[in-house]
């Protein structure tokens, strides 16, 4: 009898549990449907995640759902199970986890029926407008004018931007026959297009595709191959097989990996597949539409960044994670999940293959290969006969660098430009100089709210903190002694200025966050390089991913030492990945490439192994080191972080948390800390951390579940802002 049914619902709120409600009279919603519920003194949208026969609450305290928002479940059983697992694994409130899986408009109560609907003006509407109608209804006249100007019609979001209450006016226009609605099919235009033919696969590609296709159920693959070795081609072929069988593929790419070029390549290859993208650049309505196409099974391919791992897939066939080592798969705030790890869990749950691709696999994935959990597929050679670049170490102890450039690199730049090549210079530091120093008293200009130096942005005549965003006009003189300040060290802005003086007349393009703020600015700048107009390309991390620069013959790494002495056990791995990714930009076509790497430590064993023996040997050595030191992937970590306006409360909270943890003492759990964070003060808040280390994942999970509840109940918890990060990637 329906009276005995209790609904378990989750609400987007920082609460670890689900809530119990009674179904509305007459009708019981199913798991996956949204409902409107009374919550505290207001109403909230909730998602039903389960039904139960009883509640722990006394019957008198159970409140009734106000209304059911969806005619059928939005989230299917497998997605609900995935979210439930993720909430447990990452120790995060289930309502917030569920919110991460839903487009914003659905979280805010929007109905699902209006997907790709647009309103257009009719011929009668055009005639009416000519005749000056509707004369006495200005709101309708405004809507009609807007429709007359919009060749493709206007969707609900665009209309809402015009007028808050557009629906009433539109109903009148429709009633008079002046406007009509139309459902647009985003793929209608492409359906008639001929697909671009696939190249004949190399033997290694054919073998990889065959292995993936033959999997027949869950299987994890690590597709390893240098940039340009044809990994994307393997994905495309794997996806092709799925499309032919009527199944969907999910492709996850790093944040800046979803380039127009990549998307265009997928579209040319599969013009009729129905390709949707999910990423942060979409409007809410675009995101909702893409999500709906995925959920309805109309989209054969879903390509997206991190959060797309939660895309609904009624007919799943294959999951691909491209550049699986990339840091952007890990969310660093709020719900701190790793999309790559969830992708693997989801593939296992759906019993489909998952392909992790990279030229520089994470040590975690390599360890999974070693342990027999993933199968390695290797693409050894570059296609089209491209050769590997030769690498030169520039010893900065012997060669003085002016504005970041030492003589051997300057000479190489001149040589390559003279031969018609393009040059790429990598420096992962934006601004003009990272430090403003007074030579008189030795003081540096620091941020007032962070333990960090202010970075000089000379063009804007400002100094800015890259941690909290604080900015002020650049001072000329030392605040302490009045001496003249000097800019020490270099960022991309200074490098650009120096190159302009050294190579006058050579067109330069700089790509970093400061030069690419405008919409389409990255694409415009990269196009300058692709077309060959720009001869020198310099920039930050933004250059290392996904882009193809066939004309680049020389890559210069201005400062290899940034990664050698990081505070974190992953610093070396990151440096090696960046190095290989940047170096991979050189000599992609038939021109041999060269890489110059400037360092103060040319004998550093990490650099030596990397340069002489390649990433594979480096990774083996690094894994052996991790095993010896007991770091992941040979142990499992969680980080409890706290911050407060003063040091005391943050550390006191963590000390209490530690004491609470010791009460749950388990043999395989170690608590390290608390300690101040490496950069203790940020944006005026003091930060500290406590590390939990375990020998096995299940133990860690058991410990965290018990411990987190105790931590949340500590009196000190109310005086700090705290968070728990499972599998942290940044140890600060
Ligand atoms: P990756 O994803 O490893 O960087 P891609 O799949 O993008 O490599 O391949 C690099 C280039 O080589 C692309 O221009 C692609 O079209 C081309 N290519 C890939 N496989 C083949 C093949 N079997 N025959 C000819 N060209 C290929
Ligand atoms: Zn700051």
């Amino acid at each position: 009898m329906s009276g005995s049914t209790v609904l378990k619902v989750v609400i987007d709120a920082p609460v670890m549990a689900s809530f119990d409600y009674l179904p509305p009279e007459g009708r019981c919603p199913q798991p996956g449907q949204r409902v409107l519920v009374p919550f505290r003194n207001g109403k909230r949208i909730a998602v039903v995640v389960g039904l139960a026969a009883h509640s722990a609450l006394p019957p008198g305290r159970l409140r009734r759902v106000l209304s059911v928002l969806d005619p059928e479940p939005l989230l299917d059983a497998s997605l609900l199970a995935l979210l439930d697992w993720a909430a447990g694994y990452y120790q995060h409130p289930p309502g917030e986890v569920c919110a991460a899986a839903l487009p914003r408009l659905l979280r805010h109560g929007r109905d699902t029926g209006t997907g790709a609907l647009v309103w257009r003006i009719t011929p009668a509407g055009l005639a009416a407008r000519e005749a000056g109608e509707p004369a006495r209804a200005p709101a309708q006249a405004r809507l009609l004018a807007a429709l007359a100007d919009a060749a493709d019609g206007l969707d609900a979001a665009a209309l809402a931007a015009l007028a808050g209450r557009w629906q009433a006016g539109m109903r009148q226009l429709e009633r008079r026959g002046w406007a009509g609605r139309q459902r647009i099919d985003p793929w209608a235009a492409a359906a008639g297009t001929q697909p671009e033919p696939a190249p004949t696969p190399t033997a290694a590609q054919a073998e990889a595709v065959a292995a993936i296709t033959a999997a027949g159920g869950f299987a994890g693959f690590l597709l390893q191959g240098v940039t340009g070795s044809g990994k994307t081609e393997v994905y495309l072929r794997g996806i092709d097989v799925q499309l032919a069988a009527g199944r969907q593929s999910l492709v996850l790419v790093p944040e800046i990996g979803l380039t127009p070029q990549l998307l265009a390549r997928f579209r040319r290859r599969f013009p009729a597949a129905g390709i949707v993208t999910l990423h942060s650049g979409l409007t809410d309505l675009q995101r909702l539409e893409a999500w709906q196409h995925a959920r309805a099974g109309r989209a054969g391919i879903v390509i997206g960044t991190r959060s797309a791992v939660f895309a609904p897939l009624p007919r799943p066939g294959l999951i691909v994670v491209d550049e699986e080592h990339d840091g952007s798969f890990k969310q660093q705030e709020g719900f701190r999940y790793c999309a790559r790890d969830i992708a693997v869990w989801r593939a296992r749950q759906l019993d489909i293959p998952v392909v992790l691709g990279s030229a520089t696999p994470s040590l975690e994935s390599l360890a999974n290969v070693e342990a027999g959990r993933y199968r390695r597929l290797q693409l050894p050679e570059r296609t089209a006969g491209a050769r590997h670049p030769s690498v030169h170490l520039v010893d900065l102890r012997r060669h003085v660098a002016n504005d970041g450039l030492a003589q051997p690199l300057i000479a190489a730049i001149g040589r390559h430009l003279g031969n018609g090549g393009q040059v790429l210079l990598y420096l992962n530091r934006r601004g003009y100089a990272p430090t403003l120093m007074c030579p008189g008293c030795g003081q540096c200009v620091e941020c007032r709210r962070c333990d960090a130096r202010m970075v000089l942005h000379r063009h804007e005549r400002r100094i800015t903190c890259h941690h909290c965003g604080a900015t002020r006009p650049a001072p000329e003189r030392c605040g302490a002694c009045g001496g003249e300040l000097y800019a020490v060290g270099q960022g991309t802005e200074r490098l650009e200025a120096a190159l302009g003086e050294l190579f006058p007349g050579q067109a330069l393009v700089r790509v970093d966050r400061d030069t690419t703020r405008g919409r389409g600015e990255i694409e415009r700048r990269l196009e300058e390089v692709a077309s060959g107009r720009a001869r020198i390309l310099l920039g930050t991390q933004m250059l290392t991913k996904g882009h193809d620069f066939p004309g680049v013959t020389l890559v210069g790494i201005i400062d290899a030492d940034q990664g050698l002495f990081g505070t974190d056990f992953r610093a070396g791995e990151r440096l090696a990945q960046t190095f290989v990714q940047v170096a991979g930009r050189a000599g992609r076509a038939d021109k041999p490439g060269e890489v110059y790497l400037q360092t103060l430590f040319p004998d550093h064993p990490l650099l030596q192994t990397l340069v002489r023996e390649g990433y594979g040997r480096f990774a083996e050595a690094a894994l052996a080191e991790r095993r010896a030191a007991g770091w992941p992937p040979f142990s499992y970590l969680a980080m409890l972080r706290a911050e407060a306006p003063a040091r005391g409360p943050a550390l006191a909270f963590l000390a209490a948390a530690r004491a609470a943890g010791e009460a749950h003492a388990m043999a395989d759990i170690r608590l390290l800390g608390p300690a101040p964070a490496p950069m203790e003060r940020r944006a005026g808040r003091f930060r500290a951390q406590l590390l939990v280390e375990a020998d096995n994942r299940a133990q860690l999970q058991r410990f965290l579940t018990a411990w987190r509840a105790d931590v949340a109940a500590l009196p000190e918890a109310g005086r700090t802002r705290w968070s728990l990060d499972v599998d942290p990637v940044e140890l600060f």
Side-chain angles (χ1 to χ4, degrees):
M1 134 192 166
S2 76
S4 71
T5 305
V6 173
L7 300 179
K8 302 260 167 208
V9 310
V10 296
I11 295 173
D12 186 1
V15 178
M16 284 303 277
S18 60
F19 297 89
D20 291 354
Y21 282 88
L22 292 172
E25 302 285 357
R27 161 165 178 238
C28 185
Q30 294 305 300
Q33 279 176 297
R34 289 173 306 161
V35 291
L36 190 66
V37 298
F39 186 69
R40 298 189 181 135
N41 295 323
K43 296 175 195 172
R44 292 292 289 270
I45 291 167
V47 176
V48 180
V49 294
L51 307 177
H54 307 285
S55 170
L57 286 177
R61 294 213 25 227
L62 276 178
R63 298 165 85 182
R64 206 169 273 287
V65 161
L66 299 169
S67 61
V68 179
L69 301 180
D70 300 306
E72 57 186 43
L74 273 187
L75 303 170
D76 64 19
S78 70
L79 209 41
L80 286 172
L82 178 76
L83 297 173
D84 182 55
W85 167 79
Y89 184 84
Y90 291 104
Q91 301 289 330
H92 200 76
E96 293 186 4
V97 170
C98 191
L102 285 176
R104 189 204 309 270
L105 292 176
L106 294 180
R107 293 204 302 273
H108 292 183
R110 165 75 174 260
D111 71 57
T112 54
T114 53
L117 202 60
V118 296
W119 281 263
R120 284 172 197 260
I121 194 164
T122 60
L126 282 171
R129 205 167 114 71
E130 297 274 296
E133 294 265 18
R136 278 185 303 277
Q140 288 175 43
R142 258 201 315 279
L143 284 174
L144 201 60
L147 290 181
D149 287 342
D152 298 329
L154 294 172
D155 63 20
L159 289 164
L162 280 174
R165 297 216 197 113
W166 59 275
Q167 286 95 336
M170 189 61 80
R171 263 197 301 279
Q172 289 305 316
L173 294 178
E174 285 180 286
R175 205 178 48 74
R176 297 165 103 159
W178 292 347
R181 30 179 107 184
Q182 193 179 9
R183 215 163 253 289
I184 50 165
D185 175 358
W187 303 301
T193 319
Q194 278 303 308
E196 184 177 81
T200 311
T202 61
Q205 283 173 327
E207 198 179 309
V209 174
I212 296 162
T213 306
F218 171 72
F221 295 98
L222 178 65
L223 179 62
Q224 197 175 350
V226 296
T227 319
S229 62
K231 293 186 297 297
T232 309
E233 188 55 39
V234 170
Y235 309 150
L236 291 170
R237 285 188 169 264
I239 290 167
D240 201 9
V241 174
Q242 299 301 330
L243 288 171
R247 288 190 291 260
Q248 298 172 288
S249 297
L250 172 65
V251 182
L252 299 180
V253 296
E255 246 152 36
I256 48 185
L258 189 53
T259 58
Q261 294 95 308
L262 179 82
L263 200 55
R265 187 166 165 195
F266 272 74
R267 295 225 155 100
R268 284 197 307 273
R269 194 64 162 272
F270 305 116
I275 300 177
V276 297
T277 60
L278 286 168
H279 56 88
S280 57
L282 300 180
T283 65
D284 284 344
L285 192 69
Q286 287 170 327
R287 178 170 273 274
L288 174 61
E289 283 173 10
W291 193 87
Q292 293 281 43
H293 288 305
R295 185 174 87 93
R298 284 190 295 273
I301 305 174
V302 178
I303 309 182
T305 49
R306 188 167 64 218
S307 67
V309 74
F310 299 113
L313 300 169
R315 298 180 287 108
L318 174 69
I319 301 179
V320 171
V321 184
D322 189 30
E323 309 284 1
E324 63 90 27
H325 64 279
D326 193 88
S328 73
F329 288 120
K330 169 82 178 179
Q331 176 141 307
Q332 299 284 14
E333 59 195 26
F335 173 28
R336 293 172 160 82
Y337 64 97
C338 173
R340 177 201 56 211
D341 296 350
I342 292 184
V344 174
W345 198 90
R346 193 171 183 194
R348 188 187 312 262
Q349 175 203 33
L350 297 172
D351 201 26
I352 60 173
V354 57
V355 180
L356 310 181
S358 178
T360 53
S362 62
L363 297 187
E364 278 78 4
S365 294
L366 288 170
N368 279 327
V369 170
E370 264 186 25
R373 281 189 289 268
Y374 296 166
R375 189 166 147 202
R376 191 202 306 258
L377 305 169
Q378 214 137 13
L379 299 182
E381 291 307 321
R382 292 176 167 208
T383 56
R387 273 162 291 168
H388 291 279
S390 55
V391 182
H392 311 265
L393 290 175
V394 178
D395 185 347
L396 289 180
R397 294 167 308 184
R398 288 180 37 222
H399 303 279
V400 182
N402 288 317
D403 290 340
L405 294 164
Q407 199 52 46
L409 178 56
I410 296 174
I413 296 173
R415 204 169 62 242
H416 280 260
L417 291 175
N419 291 337
Q422 283 173 305
V423 171
L424 183 158
L425 298 172
Y426 171 79
L427 175 60
N428 202 26
R429 202 188 282 129
R430 63 195 172 86
Y432 186 82
T435 303
L436 263 184
M437 196 188 77
C438 170
C441 68
Q443 286 223 11
C444 299
V445 181
E446 305 230 331
C447 177
R448 290 168 189 147
R449 308 169 68 222
C450 303
D451 293 330
R453 290 175 184 163
M454 298 294 275
V455 176
L456 174 65
H457 289 254
R458 200 174 70 166
H459 179 73
E460 298 157 21
R461 297 164 190 267
R462 296 188 76 82
I463 50 173
T464 300
C465 171
H466 287 186
H467 299 282
C468 73
T471 175
R472 55 183 195 262
E476 307 243 315
R477 307 209 152 262
C478 173
C481 74
E484 199 182 339
L485 291 168
Y486 277 81
V488 181
Q490 52 279 320
T492 46
E493 189 190 343
R494 186 173 210 165
L495 190 62
E496 182 183 29
L499 288 162
E501 278 176 26
L502 284 165
F503 302 100
Q506 300 280 2
L508 268 164
V509 164
R510 184 177 119 213
V511 176
D512 57 31
R513 280 227 316 274
D514 297 318
T515 65
T516 55
R517 286 191 209 282
R519 216 182 159 73
E521 196 57 39
I522 296 188
E523 286 76 26
R524 201 185 63 69
R525 283 172 185 261
L526 294 177
E527 176 50 31
E528 292 274 297
V529 181
S531 70
R533 273 192 304 279
R535 310 306 309 164
I536 303 178
L537 169 64
L538 73 143
T540 56
Q541 201 71 31
M542 287 178 118
L543 290 181
T544 59
K545 287 159 207 170
H547 310 292
D548 231 336
F549 305 117
V552 168
T553 56
L554 171 68
V555 167
I557 296 172
I558 302 301
D559 181 4
D561 302 336
Q562 273 179 315
L564 279 181
F565 300 99
T567 47
D568 180 317
F569 69 89
R570 283 194 177 84
E573 177 185 356
R574 281 199 211 99
L575 168 70
Q577 287 163 345
T578 303
F579 166 75
V580 175
Q581 298 286 344
V582 182
R585 308 293 122 189
R588 294 204 62 177
D590 46 357
K591 302 175 188 163
E594 283 192 291
V595 178
Y596 277 70
L597 198 138
Q598 301 192 124
T599 175
L600 277 168
F601 308 92
D603 305 321
H604 193 287
L606 167 67
L607 273 185
Q608 286 293 332
T609 312
L610 189 59
V611 167
R612 305 215 182 292
E613 302 175 73
Y615 186 80
R617 278 287 301 125
F618 157 80
E620 274 173 37
L623 263 181
E625 238 172 64
R626 294 260 187 104
R627 188 192 297 272
W631 283 120
F634 303 101
S635 64
Y636 300 88
L637 302 180
M639 178 84 96
L640 182 64
R641 296 191 181 86
E643 56 174 68
R647 173 185 287 176
L651 285 171
F653 163 72
L654 292 177
R658 184 183 168 119
E662 279 160 358
H664 292 284
M666 290 187 198
D668 295 332
I669 303 283
R670 292 170 296 281
L671 296 168
L672 309 172
M679 192 181 94
E680 185 179 13
R681 206 166 48 102
R682 180 177 173 142
R685 301 180 70 86
F686 287 79
R687 310 177 317 147
Q689 56 197 32
L690 174 63
L691 190 65
V692 184
E693 197 186 42
D695 294 335
N696 88 51
R697 210 188 277 283
Q699 283 265 20
L700 180 64
Q701 284 295 309
R702 261 197 305 283
F703 172 78
L704 291 179
T705 304
W707 184 52
R708 192 195 182 285
D710 291 354
V711 166
L714 289 171
E716 291 88 347
R719 292 191 279 276
T720 51
R721 205 186 282 164
W722 61 275
S723 63
L724 185 57
D725 187 354
V726 179
D727 301 334
V729 294
E730 308 272 3
L731 288 198
F732 50 84

